[in-house]
């Protein structure tokens, strides 16, 4: 599953899994504007209070008046702030005052209130005046239709009605600009007036324009003005300066976090507190969501035009591809409400592709630089003869841990954006890991050649061999299917381990060959050569001395990981069997009687058992070597050529690298075979030659004439 980050804890590091709920922003959700606008009409009864408006110019005129008021009133820049509370309009009473004086002052029975009475009601925030005002508007239209009233008088009356509508509009939109601070009943009144005006606008549009002495004042488009106010509220809320930065966060991170939190918290307030009050046709949740989304997207699109730092590129992608759709839009409280809104992505697909390409390039460059630096520091420790750490009795190097963390963090970053990007990064990191392992092997080989005289040489060799286990486990876990792991990836590890093991065994094998000096247990001549020099007179004693030399040196390898100690013992096991075969193949021993051959076969079987028991007890897993010496002993023991052929065929089946040359060397020991019999026995290998390649080499390591 895609890993999801919390908005609160986002630092650009590896994200924690799971869907998350965001903490409340430190700012109060509703914040209060600094001042209110003055009443738009102070002399409603004047003859030329509001000039006639053309139908298409009415909204623009209203906006112009609003702009003028904004200049007159301090703090009016925040008048469209939706989430404000705690302050009251100078011209609008509190809910308690309104409840005490909520009725429009009635006139005499059967008479509409006068303009002056309606003006007074509206100045006191009595939205009940909307009904009489609408009746006054209709009365004016009826007077125009009936005739008998001059055009000048009609326009004079209309200007007064329109001035009252300006007051009513300011009262209604003022409440809707700060809906959370209004009493629910007052908010319902304002919404009812707005809905009624929308109906009147639709009725006027349906009736169409006709000959009239009055200026066209509908549609008034108050719903459109409300939506503009919502957009301005979103801009002001998201545009606020973020709170004091947490240490380590960039300016872009702080901005994203502020906008994400604010949008989430504000929309949750809309869903919980406003949606139950607003008419369904107003689509209040969609109105706020679209406005917040548009401003958020505009901010990110502007930012994406600049050359971003590596960190900001990553943060931007995380927000666009992960946090915004998962933790904001699909948060538990908003997912159902925004499902049908169709907000879309914060950035265009083309912008996202460019950012993703930049991110991948940045990550590859970062991984390359960090891994090279880690290897350089580790190489310096080797050459400076710094002893490796010991962990659980094993020589330990931090290099593998460092490299694994670098690779894992790069992968986790990509997956925290999208799984698809993670898959792309996985392939790129595989290439980088292969390149690093090749560099690692070259640096290690150079150390092996140049630093043999250092005191901690063997300990550092062991530590690097142990590193191979960590790398192999990491590769197996990260790239779980065999087809994901190219053969070239692990070959440097195999080479490094092989070269390291060979280096550790050089002194031991040298001792067995008489090259190195070993106190007490090594005579002047090479140990294995004594098998032929004594014509196998005391084979048990000779082999026991060889086993003793090996056993005394095994503690030197105790700081290897168990699996590598077993592999080293397999190499020792192979060496003992191979050297034994070499001695048998020297053509210096010829036994002409069956009794002599059977005696030699018995010695070989006893030696094979001793080698097998010693190596197995010390951890060698090389069971594939167990049959080699017994099969050769059986070839020497048997006297019937047909039986010998069967044994040779069996040996060739087990060891495909068993050649005619090796067979000839063994048959040379049997001095009672005729040349014809020897040729017949060798011919059996013609059937098996090339049958299959050996999985492991044994006889091919033995050079015969």
């Amino acid at each position: 599953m895609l890993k999801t980050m919390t908005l609160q804890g986002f630092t650009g590091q590896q994200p924690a899994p799971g869907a998350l709920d965001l903490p409340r922003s430190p700012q109060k959700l509703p914040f209060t504007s600094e001042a209110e606008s003055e009443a738009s009409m102070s002399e409603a009864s004047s003859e030329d209070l509001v000039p006639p408006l053309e139908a298409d110019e009415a909204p623009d005129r209203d906006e112009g008046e609003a702009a003028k008021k904004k200049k007159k009133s301090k703090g009016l820049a925040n008048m469209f702030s939706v989430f404000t509370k705690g302050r009251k309009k100078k011209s609008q009473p509190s809910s308690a005052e309104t409840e005490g004086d909520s009725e429009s002052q009635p006139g005499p029975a059967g008479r509409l209130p006068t303009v002056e009475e309606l003006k007074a009601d509206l100045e006191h925030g009595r939205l009940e005046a909307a009904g009489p005002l609408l009746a006054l508007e209709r009365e004016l239209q009826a007077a125009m239709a009936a005739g008998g009233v001059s055009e000048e008088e009609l326009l004079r009356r209309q200007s007064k009605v329109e001035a009252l509508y300006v007051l009513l509009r300011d009262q209604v939109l003022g409440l809707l600009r700060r809906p959370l601070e209004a009493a629910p009943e007052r908010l319902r009144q304002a919404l009812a007036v707005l809905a009624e005006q929308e109906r009147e606008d639709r009725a006027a549009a349906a009736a169409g324009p006709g000959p009239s002495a009055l200026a066209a004042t509908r549609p008034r488009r108050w719903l459109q003005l409300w939506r503009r106010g919502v957009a301005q509220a979103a801009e002001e809320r998201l545009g606020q300066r973020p709170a004091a930065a947490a240490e380590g966060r960039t300016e872009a991170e702080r901005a994203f976090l502020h906008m994400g939190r604010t949008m989430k918290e504000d929309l949750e307030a809309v869903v919980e507190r406003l949606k139950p009050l607003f008419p369904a046709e107003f689509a209040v949740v969609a109105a706020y969501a679209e406005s917040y989304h548009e401003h958020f997207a505009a901010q990110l699109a502007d930012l994406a035009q600049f050359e971003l730092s590596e960190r900001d590129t990553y943060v931007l992608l995380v927000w666009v591809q992960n946090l915004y759709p998962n933790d904001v839009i699909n948060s538990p409280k908003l997912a159902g409400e925004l499902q049908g809104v169709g907000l879309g992505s914060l950035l265009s697909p083309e912008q996202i592709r460019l950012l993703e390409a930049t991110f991948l390039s940045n990550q590859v460059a970062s991984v390359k630089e960090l891994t090279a630096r880690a290897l350089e520091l580790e190489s310096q420790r080797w050459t400076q003869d710094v002893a490796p750490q010991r962990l659980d009795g094993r020589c330990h190097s931090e290099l593998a841990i460092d490299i694994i963390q670098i690779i894992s963090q790069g992968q986790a970053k990509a997956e925290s954006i999208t799984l698809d990007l993670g898959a792309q990064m996985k392939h790129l990191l595989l290439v980088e890991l292969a390149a690093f392992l090749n560099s690692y092997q070259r640096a290690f080989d150079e150390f092996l050649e140049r630093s043999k005289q250092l005191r901690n040489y063997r300990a550092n060799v062991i530590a690097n061999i142990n590193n191979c286990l960590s790398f192999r486990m990491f590769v197996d876990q990260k790239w779980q299917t065999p087809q994901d792991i190219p053969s070239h990836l692990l070959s440097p590890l195999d080479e490094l381990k092989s070269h390291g093991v060979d280096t550790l065994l050089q002194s031991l094998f040298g001792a067995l060959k008489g090259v190195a000096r070993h106190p007490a247990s090594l005579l002047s001549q090479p140990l294995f050569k004594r098998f032929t020099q004594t014509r196998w007179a005391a084979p048990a004693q000779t082999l026991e001395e060889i086993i003793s030399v090996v056993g005394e040196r095994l503690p030197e390898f105790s700081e290897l990981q168990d699996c590598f100690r077993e592999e080293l013992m397999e190499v020792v096991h192979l060496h003992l069997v191979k050297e034994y075969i070499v001695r048998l193949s020297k053509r210096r021993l010829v036994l002409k009687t069956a009794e002599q051959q059977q005696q030699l076969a018995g010695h070989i079987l006893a030696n094979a058992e001793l080698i097998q028991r010693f190596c197995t007890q010390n951890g060698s897993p090389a069971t594939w070597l167990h049959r080699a010496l017994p099969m050769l002993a059986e070839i020497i023991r048997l006297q019937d050529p047909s039986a010998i052929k069967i044994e040779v065929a069996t040996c060739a089946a087990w060891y495909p690298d068993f050649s005619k040359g090796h067979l000839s060397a063994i048959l040379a020991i049997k001095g009672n075979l005729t040349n014809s019999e020897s040729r017949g026995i060798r011919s059996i290998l013609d059937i098996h030659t090339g049958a299959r390649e050996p999985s492991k080499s044994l006889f091919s390591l033995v050079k015969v004439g």
Side-chain angles (χ1 to χ4, degrees), residues 543 547 569 573 576-577 605-620 622-623 625-630:
L543 185 61
I547 294 298
M569 277 306 304
H573 193 168
L576 295 177
V577 173
L605 287 174
N607 290 335
E609 173 63 23
L610 181 59
I611 292 173
Q612 177 181 329
R613 183 171 62 252
F614 170 77
C615 292
T616 302
Q617 287 175 349
N618 285 281
S620 170
T623 56
L625 290 171
H626 292 175
R627 292 176 174 265
L629 294 180

Side-chain angles (χ1 to χ4, degrees), residues 301-322:
D302 289 344
L303 185 63
Q305 302 302 315
F306 296 95
E307 184 175 349
L308 301 174
S309 68
E310 177 181 336
R311 183 179 179 86
D312 285 344
T313 299
Y314 165 63
V315 172
L316 180 56
L317 281 172
V318 167
W319 270 99
V320 172
Q321 298 284 72
N322 184 351

Side-chain angles (χ1 to χ4, degrees), residues 492-510:
L493 290 178
D494 295 334
E495 291 293 322
L496 187 151
K497 178 192 64 179
S498 176
H499 294 172
V501 169
D502 289 346
T503 298
L504 294 177
L505 290 174
Q506 278 178 359
S507 61
L508 172 60
F509 292 166

Side-chain angles (χ1 to χ4, degrees), residues 565-600:
R565 193 171 185 275
E566 291 175 0
E567 291 186 35
L568 181 140
M569 277 306 304
E570 181 172 2
V571 175
V572 172
H573 193 168
L574 173 62
H575 181 79
L576 295 177
V577 173
K578 180 201 73 171
E579 287 297 321
Y580 200 99
I581 295 173
V582 169
R583 295 300 102 197
L584 281 176
S585 304
K586 286 300 182 180
R587 297 175 182 266
R588 295 177 181 176
L589 182 63
V590 179
L591 304 176
K592 295 186 177 181
T593 68
E595 182 180 356
Q596 291 174 322
Q597 295 170 17
Q598 290 171 359
Q599 184 180 10
L600 177 59

